[in-house]
Amino acid sequence: MTDTASRPGDPKAPRPPKQEQEKASEEITEVAPGVLRMQLPIWMPGLGHVNMYGLMDDRGLTVVDPGLPGPSSWKALKARLASAGYRVKDIHTVVVTHSHPDHFGAAGRIRKEAGAQLIAHQAFTTWTMDKRRATLSDADAERLEQQAIDEAAHYDGPSLEELPSLRDDDQAAMDDITAETQRMSVPWGGTTPWGGSKHPEPPLSRRLMIRAMRLLFAPPDPTRRVRHGSSITLAGREWRVVHTPGHTLDHLCLYDPENGVLLSGDHVLPTITPHIAGSAQGDALNSYLATLDLVGSLDDVRLGLPAHGHPFTDVPGRVEAIKEHHFERMEKLHEVSEALGPANVVALSHELFPEKHWGVMAESETFAHLEHLRQSGRAERWDDDGTFVYRAG
Ligand SMILES: [Zn+2]
Ligand SMILES: [Zn+2]
């Protein structure tokens, strides 16, 4: 989710609205042979819709990125399918480009209701509790769960069952969940990988809400996991899987060489730059830049079909523009770091971003750039009592 544009500078002039922010239109268009663009409403900051692509064949329909979990998106999804002459039961395959909820949202439900196969990358994972769970022993997971249950028992507000968030038909509750999800884009309560900046613990009632949210936002289990180079038959022809880590580790694009069409997910968007979250283990920005080059250099790539915004024709041009943006940010960060001397990620992110964007998202993006500078020998890092300190050199 959360494709936050990192906006260079901050000119006073009002910005023209970005196409990724447009509200979901009910219009359905065939954007490539046998490929329908259907827009579903979402509420992520800076985004107005997600494109669910429908790929038609004689067995029915494959959908790519079927929107957010929850009733309003589901209603829109069914309405779009009906306008296109399909029912949920006609969907035989769901492809999810990456593990963000605005992309995998309805996948589990479609899988269940239509018996559809669900395809995602081998590394497909989720950003919610299950990701943390994956690194926990069963005993630890049980202990944490018990702790949460005990906490709930001593809470004298409404019970978990009574919380409005469990009512799937309540829009106000959904909006509440929405707000939590936005806050949850980096889990609260722990230290960030770069140290220092803790997400504040929400009050207990909010934590109960978050637990409820996790039930709703449970990521689906893929029935088929694919890897770089795998072939998938969609709309009666072969598409190649292109693994494109960067925005998330498990991001994939799909390429149809016959028509030069790239389903680009959040990897390449028409006017905004996808969020790159840093990681202490790797160089996420390096992965991102390398796989941008990869999709930009595909033979005869003529049409990009992004997860947000309109179809665009100049894929290599867009790739170059996004790379340019990151190189500029990197140079600016290098300069700022030289001027500031040793500084942590939070301080550096404040130099790089205008105040209204301060926070964990800006920090994780700054962290990604700092790690790239460090791993290309242009900055050094040391650990000051659990907080990374960087100095450009
Ligand atoms: Zn995303
Ligand atoms: Zn997205």
Side-chain angles (χ1 to χ4, degrees):
M1 55 160 230
T2 46
D3 307 286
T4 300
S6 342
R7 299 174 180 96
D10 199 19
K12 293 281 175 275
R15 274 183 220 100
K18 303 267 187 186
Q19 48 179 270
E20 291 88 345
Q21 293 165 344
E22 289 169 9
K23 285 211 177 316
S25 157
E26 290 177 13
E27 198 189 333
I28 294 169
T29 41
E30 184 165 354
V31 287
V35 182
L36 304 176
R37 177 188 179 203
M38 295 176 262
Q39 301 173 48
L40 301 175
I42 60 172
W43 34 253
M44 307 305 199
L47 296 171
H49 65 274
V50 60
N51 295 319
M52 173 176 78
Y53 292 102
L55 294 94
M56 305 176 282
D57 60 27
D58 46 19
R59 289 200 298 137
L61 199 67
T62 293
V63 294
V64 178
D65 288 346
L68 281 169
S72 50
S73 182
W74 184 251
K75 212 171 124 198
L77 182 148
K78 287 203 296 194
R80 301 292 187 274
L81 288 179
S83 311
Y86 289 97
R87 297 157 308 163
V88 171
K89 286 198 180 327
D90 298 322
I91 301 175
H92 55 75
T93 306
V94 184
V95 179
V96 177
T97 57
H98 64 291
S99 55
H100 281 161
D102 51 330
H103 298 257
F104 71 65
R109 186 161 179 184
I110 296 172
R111 183 190 152 180
K112 208 161 105 194
E113 292 194 11
Q117 75 164 327
L118 202 166
I119 301 177
H121 187 261
Q122 251 186 343
F124 183 82
T125 181
T126 171
W127 54 287
T128 52
M129 189 57 177
D130 297 56
K131 187 170 179 179
R132 265 159 65 177
R133 257 177 191 281
T135 64
L136 290 174
S137 69
D138 284 355
D140 279 345
E142 258 172 54
R143 188 177 48 76
L144 282 175
E145 198 154 78
Q146 194 53 50
Q147 217 172 304
I149 292 167
D150 291 346
E151 247 179 341
H154 292 103
Y155 173 65
D156 57 2
S159 74
L160 188 59
E161 285 70 26
E162 286 162 349
L163 280 174
S165 59
L166 288 181
R167 288 191 42 207
D168 204 40
D169 57 346
D170 183 337
Q171 191 54 49
M174 290 308 298
D175 292 343
D176 229 337
I177 289 172
T178 296
E180 283 305 334
T181 310
Q182 291 170 7
R183 255 193 296 281
M184 281 284 291
S185 59
V186 170
W188 45 267
T191 47
T192 55
W194 52 90
S197 170
K198 261 190 181 175
H199 240 31
E201 287 264 345
L204 185 56
S205 60
R206 312 303 297 168
R207 274 184 269 158
L208 288 172
M209 181 77 88
I210 288 167
R211 283 180 58 204
M213 189 197 81
R214 282 184 186 128
L215 299 177
L216 183 68
F217 276 60
D221 256 337
T223 56
R224 180 180 166 199
R225 289 177 178 271
V226 290
R227 63 175 75 191
H228 188 70
S230 298
S231 274
I232 306 180
T233 308
L234 305 169
R237 53 187 188 271
E238 293 299 297
W239 296 66
R240 302 303 294 273
V241 172
V242 188
H243 183 212
T244 46
H247 175 63
T248 62
L249 188 63
D250 57 11
H251 197 290
L252 61 81
C253 296
L254 288 169
Y255 185 53
D256 158 23
E258 203 177 306
N259 297 282
V261 178
L262 179 75
L263 282 162
S264 66
D266 279 357
H267 188 57
V268 187
L269 295 168
T271 74
I272 63 176
T273 56
H275 175 73
I276 307 299
S279 135
Q281 279 79 38
D283 184 345
L285 188 59
N286 193 47
S287 304
Y288 183 62
L289 295 171
T291 52
L292 272 180
D293 276 336
L294 184 64
V295 299
S297 63
L298 289 168
D299 283 344
D300 296 326
V301 57
R302 291 189 293 277
L303 182 68
L305 298 179
H308 312 278
H310 307 177
F312 57 102
T313 50
D314 186 9
V315 176
R318 187 61 199 137
V319 160
E320 282 311 311
I322 295 174
K323 280 170 61 188
E324 193 55 38
H325 162 84
H326 285 293
F327 291 137
E328 279 171 18
R329 299 293 281 173
M330 218 117 60
E331 288 320 305
K332 178 155 186 220
L333 185 58
H334 193 265
E335 270 171 40
V336 158
S337 174
E338 273 186 323
L340 215 59
N344 64 28
V345 172
V346 177
L348 287 161
S349 77
H350 290 182
E351 297 293 317
L352 209 56
F353 287 85
E355 192 170 346
K356 62 176 176 173
H357 293 309
W358 289 0
V360 170
M361 294 286 286
E363 289 161 28
S364 77
E365 179 105 7
T366 304
F367 180 47
H369 283 84
L370 284 166
E371 277 302 297
H372 189 59
L373 284 174
R374 181 177 79 83
Q375 298 192 33
S376 46
R378 300 186 62 204
E380 53 178 334
R381 178 188 93 185
W382 62 94
D383 191 326
D384 179 19
D385 203 16
T387 300
F388 288 159
V389 177
Y390 289 86
R391 179 171 58 198

